[in-house]
Amino acid sequence: MKDHIVEIKDVSKIFFTKSGSLELFTDVNINFCASTSYALIGESGVGKSTLLHIASGLEKPSTGEVFVGNQNFWDLKASAQALLRLNETAIIFQQYNLIPCLSVKENIEFQSRVNKKHNNEYINAIIDDLQIARLLGEWPENLSGGEQQRVAIARALAAQPKILFADEPTGSLDEKNSKIVLDMLLNINRKYNTSLVVITHSLAIASKLEVCLELKSRKISKK
Amino acid sequence: MNQFFLVLRVIVANWKKAKGQLFFTILGIAIASTLWSSVDIVNNQTIKAQKRSIDLLQTAFKPIVIDRELPYVSQNDYVRLRLSGWLVNPVIRAPLKNTNIIIVGVDLLADGKKILPSGKTLADSNFLEMYANGEALLFGSGKTFEKITNQLPNFTRIELAHIPEDTLIGDIASVQSLLNMEGKFTYFEYINKSLNTLDKLPLKNLMLIDDNSAGEFRFISESFTFNIRAFGFLSFFVGMFIVYTSVGMAYDQRRLTVKILKTIGIERTLINLTLVTELLLISLFSGSIGAFGGFLLARELLPDINNTISNIYNSPIDGKIDLSISWYFYSVLIAGLGTLLSCSRALLKLDNLRPIEQTSYKKFHFGKSLSIIVYAMLLPLTFTFYYLSMTSNIKVANFLFLGSVIVVGCTLLPLLIKLFLFFIAKKLPERFVLSFWLLRDTQKFGALLFAGYIAFFLALSINVGVHGMVTSFKSTFVEWLENRIFAEYYINIANERQLNKIQDVVKKYDGEAYPIIKNNGRYNEKAIEIYGFNPSSVYEENWPLLDKKRNAWDRIRNGETIFVSEQLSIREKIKLDDFLELEINDKKIRIQVGGIYADYGNPHNQLMMQLKLFKTFFSSQIPSTIAVKLAESNRLNFFNELSSKVVINSETIINPQQVRKISLGIFDNTFKISFQLALITLFVAAFTLYTNLISINKLRKKDLLPIYLIGFSVNQVIRLELLKIYILTNMVCFLSIGMGVIIAFILSEVINPNFFGWRIPIQVFPKYWLQIWIIANIASFFATILSFRMSNVKTSANFDRKILRSI
Ligand SMILES: Nc1ncnc2c1ncn2[C@@H]1O[C@H](COP(=O)(O)OP(=O)(O)O)[C@@H](O)[C@H]1O
Ligand SMILES: [Mg+2]
């Protein structure tokens, strides 16, 4: 059995809103292992994003525990939590992944320099793999959606995380660009042994990933 | 019409989603107009008091006719003067025995309006009736009457609050009998005011004295209202930035509504009309609050103002504030205009919205080209105003010049900040990515906080500028006064006999007397005051000359040159060594300028010449004042002998210490109010920053989200935000001080010479800057912290939740 990188134990999440409480899922257990790729599917509104936020440490579960490596994430101080997020995990969304006031190159190097894993060769390889060399001097706002997502992936990977969470990374892209971005993600997963968790609506995409998890009726199940 | 109201309803409904902005808009207008209208009230009260006080002063300093030798003039003189066509009023003025109260007797029928509050006549009250019934009336303030509760039982007392303390006014006949001066008066007031052509008195024993001191007081109060008005204008401007940010934000949120309205086919003008109507309604409401607030604030400020005014004029203004309907409309009108002005950008932005175009924050072509035009016009305009203010008599040009320099400063501010941060970031080694990002993001943050920081910039720089000018003036003035008033006593001379007596007393106590003699002449078709004096070594040691040749004092002693005042030299462009053609008492003289002296506080053109030279024009005139220098040990005895034997009332002996004290008191009070207003303005600027921070909160969260996601804790992100604010605030402070020095420089080099006729050497006040700097930092820190609390950034979960959901 492979090492687990992030482990979700008996996690449930309830939102308390004006119109009452909303229970998204109960007693969910997932073990995200090293160099494995996961798809997370489910209907809109079931709580996939929320689950991903919990797995990446952005949101606290109502009950249950989240382990990153061997550490119980929510027992840590805020600064230690931030350090774990900085070093171990990376997350990308449909948008707002890039720092607007930095150029593409500065964006890619930023995280890796902050967490002191900066490695020029490694970064150059990623830039080549993602075919974004010609964009390096640009500002994020001048890129197309697909380009932005590729830069976001490069930025996330440059810091050499153990696991990369992606919340519908291709949701706002057309079919062609979706395929390019997804192929690159899979390629990277294989080449650099980075675990991958992708939320997607597309069963076609899901079928390309090693494990497919479905969130349905408050439970998670393997497909 | 129907359509108008429908559209208005849709437009107004937008506020439901922007309650915060509506609140801040109302608050902003209310604050701005509170400051403006309070200053307006204060100024109006000042001007009102000034008018009446100057009337009073001019009574005291009206040209008077006295006897050349006797301490009184007679009924006989009066009759003969009137018969020869001289318009004079007899006055009795004497100290009341065993008190320090001055009792004045006037002709109630002729001079009654002098006693009563402005706008009332004797006939309005029943005084006339009482007077006709033979009652002896005595007017005075309550405080004065308290001092003499048991004296003067034969008089009917009438309390009038506006009569200066220690002064009583009564009918001339009753005062005559009280003082045993039947048939005698102290002097006649000369009513015919045109003094340029000196009338020849028909009676040999009488002489005419005039004194223009009232003008000097008018100057000081002018600079006072000027100062306050400047601050009022500034605070109004700063307050309007609150409106600028909150309306800008609210309008961004109603873009969709406006777009839909346009798509439906509502006319552009109709939409604009409803928008303007809505703004005017808001400003009517908020302006009314502001007018009321201004009234309250003015009431808080007025005790100090009162103090200042009574220092200047020795007469308190009544605490009652006059408020009229027209004043209220005026305040609301100003509020409305200010609102429209500060919202014009937001209005233009909505006006330019095309129904088909995509919603985009950046593309605002019209605004861009407009601002480019404005920038391009700014520099030539500034130079034109400068040129006009230096060469022409157009006074407004001075202010337009100052204003355009400030506007240039405001446009340069963001540019300078941007460049500075950009270059520092560029120089950083590659591995300092965090600092690099910090600088870059600060740049962006600063651009979003444009309005808040411009408000800060204005508040700080004008504060530093006005403070620099006023304080420089104060210290220059004090030093000058110290030297100028070198003698221990200045004694006004009434007649020749008195002069001789005084000189005897001076000799007795081993003192030195320096006569000063004054008359009028003409230069370049303009009236000037000519002083004759004895340019002894005492003057040489003490008199501050701004500009002189090495042997200036020797030459003026020989009667070869004259000294001119700075005012005269600036106004008539007179330089050292110029030859002036003067016309004095129908004689002409051509004489060289040997020196230029400072004469702050005096609005008149003036020159000085040696006494002998003066006598060639006015052979029989006696000195109007003599300055007396005495050894310390002899002063008291001298004063006692002088006041008991020679001088009738102590008013004619001027104690320089007193003059100094009064001048400083006026300055101190002006400072106090200026400083209070400056603090309020800074506070308003901080509030502007606060509303600005809140309004950009959502945008900011999006900018910061990537940083948070990468792996920074919320606290770290917040600390970094505070650091950015700190950097920005300090850069703004730094630049504001630079701008403040420029403003002070313009005030002293351009505005003061053109308005008052003197130039003040500007000094720097690092201590004050530090003070202001610290206050600004504290204010911006609290504005930031409070805005974070307000938008719940502090609780870590909230930072991301809303944004995460929006993704
Ligand atoms: N912070 C929150 N507070 C209240 N309700 C929330 C919050 N975040 C998400 N939800 C609700 O939880 C449900 C699931 O959301 P989400 O995890 O985004 O679903 P998915 O990504 O599967 O579409 C939604 O109905 C959403 O409205
Ligand atoms: Mg989702």
Side-chain angles (χ1 to χ4, degrees), chain B residues 458-654:
Chain B
L458 280 174
L460 288 173
S461 61
I462 298 185
N463 194 345
V464 167
V466 173
H467 172 270
M469 199 276 287
V470 179
T471 317
S472 295
F473 183 44
K474 181 181 170 184
S475 69
T476 309
F477 184 76
V478 169
E479 200 194 299
W480 167 82
L481 202 64
E482 207 72 29
N483 288 319
R484 178 73 174 257
I485 306 180
F486 59 82
E488 277 72 44
Y489 294 107
Y490 290 80
I491 305 159
N492 292 337
I493 310 290
N495 53 48
E496 209 157 353
R497 220 173 66 180
Q498 197 189 32
L499 174 68
N500 294 334
K501 271 197 208 159
I502 292 169
Q503 269 168 339
D504 287 346
V505 183
V506 172
K507 228 174 254 163
K508 185 174 165 192
Y509 288 97
D510 276 341
E512 295 163 55
Y514 304 94
I516 302 162
I517 189 164
K518 179 186 143 192
N519 214 313
N520 297 318
R522 300 183 80 76
Y523 168 69
N524 225 356
E525 298 302 302
K526 285 178 191 112
I528 42 171
E529 293 174 350
I530 297 171
Y531 279 83
F533 77 123
N534 187 4
S536 63
S537 59
V538 178
Y539 277 94
E540 195 169 343
E541 280 155 24
N542 289 295
W543 259 62
L545 286 184
L546 295 172
D547 201 4
K548 62 170 184 205
K549 282 278 150 78
R550 214 189 298 138
N551 53 356
W553 287 98
D554 290 333
R555 294 192 65 201
I556 196 167
R557 264 195 283 275
N558 297 336
E560 293 164 33
T561 57
I562 51 165
F563 290 167
V564 302
S565 75
E566 190 187 10
Q567 284 88 309
L568 181 60
S569 88
I570 289 181
R571 279 188 205 129
E572 300 299 324
K573 302 196 169 56
I574 296 169
K575 290 186 296 298
L576 215 55
D577 288 345
D578 282 357
F579 280 90
L580 306 186
E581 304 262 0
L582 304 173
E583 200 188 313
I584 310 171
N585 206 13
D586 297 336
K587 286 178 209 151
K588 286 206 168 130
I589 180 179
R590 188 165 180 273
I591 194 163
Q592 203 173 10
V593 175
I596 294 169
Y597 59 92
D599 192 17
Y600 306 115
N602 184 348
H604 306 295
N605 291 330
Q606 216 181 63
L607 62 81
M608 301 179 68
M609 58 175 60
Q610 197 233 9
L611 204 56
K612 269 187 216 141
L613 185 62
F614 185 92
K615 291 268 189 189
T616 61
F617 302 105
F618 304 100
S619 52
S620 63
Q621 192 178 341
I622 59 155
S624 46
T625 313
I626 66 173
V628 177
K629 242 179 119 56
L630 282 165
E632 171 116 46
S633 52
N634 289 334
R635 280 179 208 166
L636 192 66
N637 290 335
F638 169 80
F639 183 78
N640 286 340
E641 185 162 344
L642 192 72
S643 44
S644 61
K645 286 197 183 152
V646 186
V647 185
I648 329 150
N649 70 56
S650 55
E651 267 174 77
T652 49
I653 306 174
I654 299 166

Side-chain angles (χ1 to χ4, degrees), chain A residues 57-113:
Chain A
L58 293 175
E59 180 117 36
K60 199 177 177 182
S62 303
T63 59
E65 280 150 349
V66 178
F67 288 89
V68 177
N70 298 319
Q71 306 190 61
N72 188 338
F73 190 84
W74 292 103
D75 281 353
L76 300 174
K77 275 196 286 185
S79 54
Q81 290 176 349
L83 217 57
L84 276 184
R85 293 199 286 114
L86 187 66
N87 288 315
E88 310 288 317
T89 68
I91 187 162
I92 54 175
F93 297 106
Q94 268 178 33
Q95 44 179 331
Y96 303 125
N97 293 305
L98 300 175
I99 302 168
C101 62
L102 297 182
S103 73
V104 165
K105 180 156 189 277
E106 288 156 358
N107 257 292
I108 294 173
E109 294 191 347
F110 184 78
Q111 188 175 358
S112 65
R113 286 204 192 264

